[in-house]
Amino acid sequence: MASAPATQRDRLRNLLVQHPVARAQELRNEGIAAATIARAVKDGEIERIGRGLYQRPEAPIDVAHALAETAKRIPKGVIAMISALAFHGLTDQMPRKVWVAIGPGDWSPVPSYPPTRIVRFSEKYLQEGIEHHMISGISVPIYSVPKTLADLFRNSKLVDRSVAMEGLRAALEQRKATPGAIAEAAKAGGAWRIMRPYLEALTFNG
């Protein structure tokens, strides 16, 4: 018995498996009607992540491309928190949004692609520990390992403490930062009181 021909919805699903992010024009070129795309969005089967850009809800973002695109779109921003932790290879979590730190009075971008999670740092914390890494030909500002750990411990309402602990342990095990550098950044970043018992325990036990 011959199998039923694939519906537009089936083809749409398959296309988004092959191409995690697809433009509306690309989908239309494959014979997917605008009404099919709209129904799939309404049903939660796909999501619109920007003007004419679609992906599956569970699709991971291309991390390197996302960081470079975000740096172009938010020139005053700095890659921070879980995104910085992931960039440095200190967590298994792949955030579906790019975490970006901006100043208290800086312009917050409208939702677009890549999806972003904006955190506002005071000027005191915003300019510390910035490194620049070349990604896809773009100089991307990213917080250093010690600075990122300080931010994670200081902002426990935004990120679960277990994530900060995972990053701290990984940084020490992988020798991405010395205990001294981590402690110094924590003191400068207002996180020393919170981080100190964890750092001392990991250092003494190591």
Side-chain angles (χ1 to χ4, degrees), residues 179-201:
I182 293 172
E184 184 177 339
K187 292 171 184 175
W192 179 235
R193 181 183 60 81
I194 303 167
M195 183 194 290
R196 181 176 182 175
Y198 298 101
L199 179 60
E200 289 181 345

Side-chain angles (χ1 to χ4, degrees), residues 197-206:
Y198 298 101
L199 179 60
E200 289 181 345
L202 288 171
T203 304
F204 293 152
N205 292 338

Side-chain angles (χ1 to χ4, degrees), residues 4-192:
T7 65
Q8 284 195 28
R9 198 72 164 255
D10 292 333
R11 297 211 307 276
L12 175 59
R13 279 193 293 267
N14 291 334
L15 285 167
L16 285 171
V17 169
Q18 297 168 23
H19 307 284
V21 176
R23 297 186 180 278
Q25 186 59 52
E26 295 169 339
L27 297 176
R28 287 195 292 269
N29 290 345
E30 294 292 334
I32 310 299
T36 300
I37 298 172
R39 283 195 298 270
V41 171
K42 183 178 179 180
D43 293 343
E45 192 167 349
I46 67 173
E47 59 184 18
R48 182 177 182 271
I49 57 175
R51 179 177 293 181
L53 287 174
Y54 299 90
Q55 70 173 19
R56 291 174 298 127
E58 70 278 11
I61 62 174
D62 181 331
V63 176
H65 178 73
L67 296 185
E69 285 296 315
T70 300
K72 285 196 299 184
R73 193 161 62 89
I74 313 175
K76 288 188 176 181
V78 184
I79 305 301
M81 306 292 279
I82 300 179
S83 292
L85 200 67
F87 172 81
H88 292 298
L90 300 178
T91 179
D92 292 331
Q93 293 194 33
M94 286 293 109
R96 294 196 59 239
K97 293 186 177 182
V98 179
W99 289 67
V100 184
I102 61 176
D106 288 339
W107 167 80
S108 181
V110 296
S112 183
Y113 184 82
T116 53
R117 171 75 184 271
I118 299 295
V119 291
R120 291 189 181 274
F121 286 175
S122 67
E123 291 298 329
K124 175 182 177 181
Y125 298 135
L126 186 65
Q127 301 301 328
E128 296 173 347
I130 299 175
E131 301 174 344
H132 286 82
H133 297 267
M134 291 301 296
I135 303 175
S136 301
I138 296 168
S139 179
V140 180
I142 303 175
Y143 285 125
S144 68
V145 169
K147 161 66 169 164
T148 297
L149 294 172
D151 291 338
L152 289 169
F153 274 94
R154 188 181 70 252
N155 292 285
S156 57
K157 290 183 179 179
L158 298 178
V159 177
D160 191 84
R161 182 62 50 79
S162 63
V163 177
M165 278 295 300
E166 175 196 21
L168 178 60
R169 184 179 293 107
L172 294 170
E173 290 176 351
Q174 298 177 31
R175 301 181 185 276
K176 293 285 182 75
T178 65
I182 293 172
E184 184 177 339
K187 292 171 184 175
W192 179 235

